[in-house]
Amino acid sequence: MVELRDIEKNYTNFDLKINLKINNGEIFGLIGQSGSGKSTILRIVQGLLKADKGEINIAKNTETAYIFQEFNLLYNKNVFDNVALPLILKKKFSAEKVEEVLKFVGLSERKDSFIASLSGGERQRVAIARALVTNPQLLLCDEVTASLDKSVKDEILDLFEEINKKYGTTILVVTHELEVVKRLCSRVAVIEKGKITDIFNVNQKDYEKSNKSYADYVREVLK
Ligand SMILES: Nc1ncnc2c1ncn2[C@@H]1O[C@H](COP(=O)(O)OP(=O)(O)OP(=O)(O)O)[C@@H](O)[C@H]1O
């Protein structure tokens, strides 16, 4: 689905050099500390940044969508209009499609609400719905759960899993959070100082999905 071959990007104090292959239908994690080069890789895959060397191959006509940490929502528009935007830009507006993805992310009831009145988790759901509305085969996610608390994070991660299962969407997840990779990804690449130092299958078996209430979680950590 996505192949980065001998990709290089050189900044004054930073050199990226990687090879990476992401298979059709997998949820692939890219994990690394701040400054390791994750966003640079994602931007190269998005086509927002040109590599100095190497080749990037993405299957022809792959519909791609992005979800960012900051959500990039339009605050002067309501939920419905935010989600409809990519379809309007592509001149493919369909109210039914917007309704369908809003239902999928559990926001049908909030479709007339303005973004400012939503919680962080709800905003993230709007961003996910907006990404899904064009039926992407490839979803690129940059630190999408970093600002969310544990229970909302679990909900959003469930949603990504559902997207992958229901639509077969290939998902590339960039994160510095180990638990996100553990919970969601089948494979992960570890990136350090611009190089991939390891790639392996994630052992998801012993991840315990939390059914605890928020109060239980707080007690468990703090007491
Ligand atoms: N336009 C640029 N000019 C010069 N250096 C840059 C530029 N963009 C990124 N860098 C450098 O490249 C390195 C990797 O940055 P990148 O944003 O890819 O890291 P990251 O792993 O995504 O970090 P974070 O988790 O903090 O977002 C950093 O050292 C950064 O300073």
Side-chain angles (χ1 to χ4, degrees):
M1 159 78 48
V2 179
E3 188 183 12
L4 302 181
R5 270 171 107 184
D6 301 322
I7 287 288
E8 291 187 29
K9 183 76 196 172
N10 304 299
Y11 291 125
T12 318
N13 293 311
F14 182 78
D15 295 309
L16 179 87
K17 191 170 184 205
I18 58 154
N19 279 286
L20 183 62
K21 212 171 167 181
I22 299 163
N23 301 320
N24 226 346
E26 76 176 329
I27 307 185
F28 190 93
L30 205 52
I31 195 157
Q33 291 180 318
S34 185
S36 55
K38 306 179 297 292
S39 300
T40 303
I41 296 172
L42 202 68
R43 269 187 264 137
I44 289 173
V45 176
Q46 280 173 270
L48 288 177
L49 187 67
K50 203 175 170 337
D52 297 327
K53 280 189 192 160
E55 205 178 287
I56 166 156
N57 297 312
I58 299 180
K60 229 180 168 184
N61 299 324
T62 300
E63 182 67 40
T64 307
Y66 324 104
I67 305 176
F68 308 94
Q69 184 179 356
E70 315 82 48
F71 313 151
N72 292 64
L73 299 172
L74 302 172
Y75 281 73
N76 58 345
K77 293 200 180 293
N78 66 20
V79 168
F80 185 97
D81 291 344
N82 266 276
V83 174
L85 193 66
L87 293 180
I88 292 168
L89 292 175
K90 283 174 184 275
K91 297 191 168 52
K92 287 182 177 170
F93 175 71
S94 149
E96 295 83 65
K97 184 67 200 177
V98 177
E99 302 277 359
E100 179 198 318
V101 288
L102 283 175
K103 190 171 174 208
F104 181 75
V105 302
L107 277 181
S108 298
E109 311 285 299
R110 304 300 307 264
K111 67 177 178 179
D112 297 322
S113 304
F114 280 85
I115 303 299
S117 70
L118 303 181
S119 70
E122 287 168 336
R123 289 176 197 188
Q124 188 57 291
R125 283 170 187 274
V126 179
I128 293 170
R130 188 184 53 183
L132 289 182
V133 81
T134 54
N135 295 327
Q137 291 124 319
L138 175 64
L139 198 53
L140 306 173
C141 307
D142 197 357
E143 300 283 7
V144 288
T145 52
S147 59
L148 303 174
D149 73 40
K150 170 96 172 90
S151 56
V152 181
K153 193 181 296 233
D154 277 343
E155 276 174 35
I156 298 292
L157 294 176
D158 280 348
L159 201 52
F160 280 114
E161 204 173 32
E162 233 179 294
I163 291 165
N164 173 260
K165 283 216 181 91
K166 183 165 179 194
Y167 302 107
T169 315
T170 307
I171 307 181
L172 174 58
V173 179
V174 165
T175 182
H176 64 274
E177 298 177 293
L178 285 177
E179 65 171 304
V180 169
V181 174
K182 184 82 177 162
R183 164 78 181 74
L184 197 59
C185 301
S186 50
R187 281 200 308 149
V188 65
V190 183
I191 171 149
E192 292 177 281
K193 294 183 183 146
K195 313 274 180 304
I196 290 175
T197 50
D198 209 351
I199 296 189
F200 52 89
N201 292 330
V202 177
N203 174 8
Q204 293 177 305
K205 262 187 238 139
D206 51 346
Y207 180 88
E208 267 189 53
K209 208 162 153 183
S210 162
N211 290 317
K212 292 186 191 101
S213 69
Y214 178 68
D216 286 341
Y217 173 62
V218 171
R219 256 180 242 119
E220 179 187 298
V221 174
L222 298 182
K223 271 198 173 171

